[in-house]
Structures are given as C-alpha cells and as structure tokens.
Amino acid sequence: MKVKGRKIYIFDTTLRDGEQSPGCSLTPVEKLEVAEQLERLNVDIIEAGFPAASPGEVEAIKKLSRRVKKPVICALARCIRKDIDFVREALKYTKRPRCHVFLATSKIHREFKLRKPKEELVQIASEHVAYAKKYFFDVEFSPEDAARTEYDFLIQVVRAAIDAGATTINIPDTVGYAIPSEFGELIRQLVESIPEFNPENPKVNLSVHCHNDLGLAVANSVAAVKNGANQVECTVNGIGERAGNASMEEIVMIIDTRADFMDCYTDINLAEITKSSQAVSRLTGMLVQANKAIVGKNAFAHESGIHQDGVLKKRITYEIIDPARIGLKGSNIVLGKHSGRHAFRERLTKLGYQLSDAQVDHAFAHFKQIADQKKDVYDEDLHAIVADELARAAQMWHLVSFEAAVHAGGTAKATVTLRKSGKNFSASATGDGPVDASCRAVEKITKCEGRIRKFSIQAITAGKDAMGEATVTVRAKGLEVTGRGSSTDIIEASIKAYLYAMNRILAMTAKPRRQQLSQV
Ligand code: KIV
Ligand code: ZN
C-alpha cells in the first residue's frame, strides 16, 4: 500500500483574511453559509474572523461556532489584551477554539508602524501568547511580515512565543514578497533551528500564510510544505487582501495530484471543492477568472480539435485531474472553430443523433461555417444543424447560395442557387422584401408555386450572433405543409424553411417511381 506521508492541516481563512478583500464583507448569515460549506469540505481549521473589528463580528462568530462543530474555530487578535478578550467572547461556545495572536516583526513594520525596539516586541509577543494561553489550550502566534524579518530576530520571537505556550507558529509572507526557493529555505532553516518543528514528530505546528502580490502565494506555500511546514493558511478561490491569499483548491490539488513528489496528504473532501468555490464566489460577489486553476470555468474545457481528440480517446492525454474528483460532471468539450470532427461527432451521439459518415461530413462543414461566425456553438445550434442536415438528406433541392438586395420603395431582388442531383440551378426574382423575393426565386427553380400562410422567426441561442430558426406554413398543389430552417442569417433561415416545405410538397405529389418506370 502507498504510504501517505505527513498530514498537512488546511487552515481556511476565507472568513477572515478573505473577507478583508475590498468589497467582500459578508453578513452573519452568509458567514454561516460559507462556514457550513467549509465544514463539508472538511477543512481542519476555520479562521472565522477578527472579533475586535466590531460587535457584529463577535456575534457572527458566536453564531457560526454554535452550528459548525467539526473543525477547529479560530479568531484573530492583535497583541492587545482587549483583542484577546473579544476572541474569548466570540469563541465561548466553540467546542475546539483557537486564539490566533499576531505582532509585526520586520524592520519596516518595527520602524514605521510600531515604532518599538526589538526587545520590547519579543516581550509583547511573549506576554500576549501567555495571556491567551490562560484561556485557550490552542494558541497560534504569527510574526507578521515574517518573510521580511531578519532571520536571527525571527528565531528569537518564535522561540519566545513557543516558550509562552504557542501550539502553532505561523510564518506569514504578509506582502507576497518571497520567492519560492527563498521561502522554502527559510522554512528549512526554522525546522533545523527549532526542535519542536521536527516534521517527523511535531510538538508545535509550523504553518505558512502567503499572499499573492507577485503571483507566488501557492508556489511559496508548496515550497514551505516541501521543507517541513505542516499547516497551510489559504482561502477559497484565493480571495484576500490586495492580490489575495494562497488558493485553497490549488494547494490541495497540488498535494493530491503530485502526492508522488509531495509525500504528504490533506483530509479535504475533494468532491466539495467546486461547490465551495461557487458558494464563495456567489456570496462575496468575487467572480472567478475563467482560466483560474482548478475552479475556473475553463479549467477543464477543451476547444482545440487536437486536444479534444486526445481527451476523448484518453482523458489523461490533456487532463491531469479527473474533474469528477472535485465535484464537476466531467470535462467540458467546447465546440467552436478549433474543434475537430471527433468531438463534433461525439457530441451528436450524446445528443442522440446517429448520422451516416456522409451526413456527419456535411453537418460538420455546416458547423464550421457557423463556428466561424459565432464564438461558441451550443447544443441548440447542433440540433438546428442536424435538423438542416436531415432535411437536406431527405430533400430533392437544397440551397447553395443566395443574394438579396432591397431597393428604394421597398421592393427587393434576390438571386438564389439551388442544387439537385449534382447540378446547380439559379433564378432571380423580385418581391416585397428579401424573403419574399428569395421565395419567388425558389419557386422559379422548383417550378412549384406556393403561398405562405404563416411565418415566424425566433432566436434559438443567446447573444448577438444567435442562430435564428424560421418556421413557415406553405400551401401549394392543394397541400399545406410546414418547413423549418435555421441559420445565423434570418433570410437564409427563411429560404431554408420555405425550401424544406416545398420539397415536402414535391415529394408528396411526385408520382411513385415504379409508376414512372412503367410509363417509360
Ligand atoms: O498576512 C498576514 O500577515 C496576516 C496575519 C494576521 C497572519 O494575515
Ligand atoms: Zn494575511
């Protein structure tokens, strides 16, 4: 059996750091909805908020921690006793509470924000971890801006926090400044210097918390895990301050997909990833970019014909993750101008059509024409294409081309070319508008005059480039029949519908072949 390696704890801060994204504030009810989804996702720790922010935040965390029982519920405090007291109040109904205290340690923050010397900061950190420890067994300490803190001073603060009772030390790259090899090396050195972090048997958890200012939050977190960190702080969809936090779904899927390299695992319920992403996006109003790894709309979409052919033959040719594992229905084969015949035929089969090779060839050519005019070709378009194809196959006449022009005063002139038994026939006619003129030209060629009794046109797909479907009821030779045709051009759709109706009339009134032969 494959050894799973070390367990990596997933500390989700969507409801604290994520909620700090501009415009992302959640109501208590929305916070609860996210927390319940995070529980289904099986995160180990939920950072539910910063109670000192407002009385409403305290109430929201209280409410949430009464309902969400499985994960550890954590709340944040500055190194201020009052902040820690707010955490006590907010977490008082929590089964497994954690108090998270932080203090900035980098030179920049010491000099410009806190204006305090190093020794005093070590003392403040130690005193407040000890204060939190009086009320909580589980205390996390974060030296804010650790990635820009001098290494010797960082060790000093971390040591003091552990001695004061911290059970988790979190190393934040607060401003997303670190480079993966550098951040990995920092974690390696911390593991080497602090025996409590021993990855084989950790007495104190070593956590990382990376921001994405240079787009490296996930890479830095992964480098840290590789070098001995056993907790990763992250958010769903990577939301958070400025460019965001490390994305939960990316970290979890890296650990899962590259278990061979990472040698560790998480307890995340992968099948809940998509739902979690959608819930957070819906509730925060932060849209997920289409090409976002794992949860973007295009993450499992294939448009190129070569890729579609590969995926349909064997999914793993172009997909390293089975979309079903993260709660998606399957890969998304997007039909567009780059798509190939294999994907086209496959989709027709899924839609229930069994066409001959020749019919598929013809329908595929029609599909390519449409794909050149539209960005995406939807199933409704395909139904229309097949309807046209089936009509064409059953028809005597089919449309090759047309030209229609409207003149001043409303009369129009149209020239239509139809094909029958491998030969083209053209005719021109005038009429009240381009559709009427085209239908008159069709009548000249087919030598069958008809009267349109009903005519309607409707869009069958969305957007400016929508497909239109025309429906006509035609009376000719004592019969009344209906015809349908579709195209992105409504005149073309109308001619096809009219021609379809005419063909049906001609077929119904044609003499049986046997009789024709006997007359010869
Ligand atoms: O980015 C940061 O440094 C933080 C700390 C409070 C952990 O969010
Ligand atoms: Zn942060």
Side-chain angles (χ1 to χ4, degrees), residues 13 16-18 20 47 76 100 144 170 172-175 209-211 233 240-242 244-245:
T13 183
R16 200 277 297 169
D17 225 350
Q20 283 172 220
E47 187 165 47
L76 184 70
H100 180 187
E144 191 191 8
N170 177 45
D173 180 19
T174 303
V175 289
H209 174 114
C210 298
H211 278 268
E233 302 199 354
E241 288 270 13
R242 308 180 308 279
N245 288 60

Side-chain angles (χ1 to χ4, degrees), residues 14 30 94 109 155 259 280 282 285 290 296 307 317 320 370 390-391 394 407 427 454 474 507:
T14 305
E30 290 168 339
T94 311
H109 282 236
I155 287 281
V280 168
R282 171 173 52 82
H307 290 207
T317 50
I320 59 168
I370 287 171
L390 294 176
H407 302 291
K454 286 186 207 147
V474 179

Side-chain angles (χ1 to χ4, degrees), residues 2 29 41 53 88 131 135-136 143 181 189-190 237 247 271 336 388 394 406 439 443 463 494 512:
K2 196 175 171 310
V29 175
L41 184 64
R88 286 170 58 201
Y131 182 70
Y135 307 101
F136 298 93
S181 53
Q189 285 180 26
L190 284 167
N237 299 337
S247 134
D388 265 3
V406 184
C439 292
E443 289 172 353
S494 308

Side-chain angles (χ1 to χ4, degrees), residues 106-403:
S106 67
K107 189 163 187 282
I108 298 170
H109 282 236
R110 287 194 315 262
E111 288 181 2
F112 298 106
K113 188 174 94 177
L114 302 174
R115 300 203 175 94
K116 290 197 191 320
K118 285 179 177 171
E119 307 68 46
E120 197 180 332
L121 293 179
V122 175
Q123 174 55 31
I124 294 174
S126 168
E127 186 192 315
H128 287 86
V129 170
Y131 182 70
K133 194 71 186 179
K134 286 210 314 210
Y135 307 101
F136 298 93
F137 165 75
D138 194 354
V139 175
E140 172 167 329
F141 174 73
S142 291
E144 191 191 8
D145 205 14
R148 291 194 298 175
T149 300
E150 306 90 315
Y151 183 71
D152 290 344
F153 181 53
L154 184 62
I155 287 281
Q156 228 183 308
V157 181
V158 166
R159 184 74 264 161
I162 293 176
D163 292 345
T167 42
T168 297
I169 297 293
N170 177 45
I171 303 298
D173 180 19
T174 303
V175 289
Y177 183 73
I179 301 291
S181 53
E182 181 189 30
F183 196 63
E185 179 56 17
L186 171 62
I187 299 302
R188 195 194 64 72
Q189 285 180 26
L190 284 167
V191 167
E192 207 174 82
S193 312
I194 310 259
E196 286 89 339
F197 291 153
N198 175 10
E200 303 303 316
N201 182 22
K203 297 276 183 293
V204 172
N205 292 316
L206 177 53
S207 169
V208 289
H209 174 114
C210 298
H211 278 268
N212 206 29
D213 298 67
L214 292 175
L216 292 172
V218 168
N220 284 331
S221 307
V222 168
V225 167
K226 198 64 192 151
N227 282 281
N230 70 340
Q231 175 179 293
V232 176
E233 302 199 354
C234 47
T235 60
V236 175
N237 299 337
I239 65 168
E241 288 270 13
R242 308 180 308 279
N245 288 60
S247 134
M248 176 281 300
E249 55 282 358
E250 292 178 25
I251 288 166
V252 167
M253 291 316 292
I254 289 168
I255 291 175
D256 181 78
T257 309
R258 295 305 313 274
D260 60 318
F261 178 79
M262 297 301 295
D263 205 15
C264 56
Y265 68 95
T266 72
D267 278 333
I268 291 296
N269 180 0
L270 305 183
E272 290 293 326
I273 285 182
T274 301
K275 271 196 222 136
S276 305
S277 163
Q278 289 170 350
V280 168
S281 174
R282 171 173 52 82
L283 293 167
T284 60
M286 295 273 286
L287 297 181
V288 177
Q289 78 194 53
N291 62 332
K292 160 94 173 61
I294 317 297
V295 291
K297 162 170 147 296
N298 291 351
F300 297 94
H302 308 273
E303 212 217 70
S304 124
I306 297 167
H307 290 207
Q308 290 178 340
D309 183 52
V311 168
L312 290 167
K313 283 178 176 149
K314 189 84 181 159
R315 190 190 53 74
I316 55 172
T317 50
Y318 287 99
E319 267 180 9
I320 59 168
I321 296 168
D322 180 351
R325 296 198 73 218
I326 61 156
L328 282 169
K329 280 212 193 80
S331 321
N332 178 12
I333 301 288
V334 179
L335 291 182
K337 71 173 177 186
H338 302 111
S339 303
R341 187 183 309 262
H342 188 167
F344 176 72
R345 179 166 219 152
E346 194 83 11
R347 181 68 64 86
L348 293 189
T349 307
K350 266 204 184 126
L351 293 175
Y353 295 114
Q354 291 297 336
L355 302 191
S356 69
D357 287 349
Q359 285 176 324
V360 170
D361 284 351
H362 203 269
F364 183 65
H366 186 180
F367 157 76
K368 281 282 181 178
Q369 272 171 16
I370 287 171
D372 265 339
Q373 294 157 30
K374 290 178 101 240
K375 243 170 68 193
D376 293 327
V377 180
Y378 304 106
D379 286 351
E380 291 90 330
D381 297 319
L382 296 182
H383 287 302
I385 290 171
V386 172
D388 265 3
E389 175 48 34
L390 294 176
R392 189 199 65 83
Q395 279 170 16
M396 295 151 67
W397 296 98
H398 62 269
L399 179 67
V400 176
S401 64
F402 75 96
E403 255 176 59

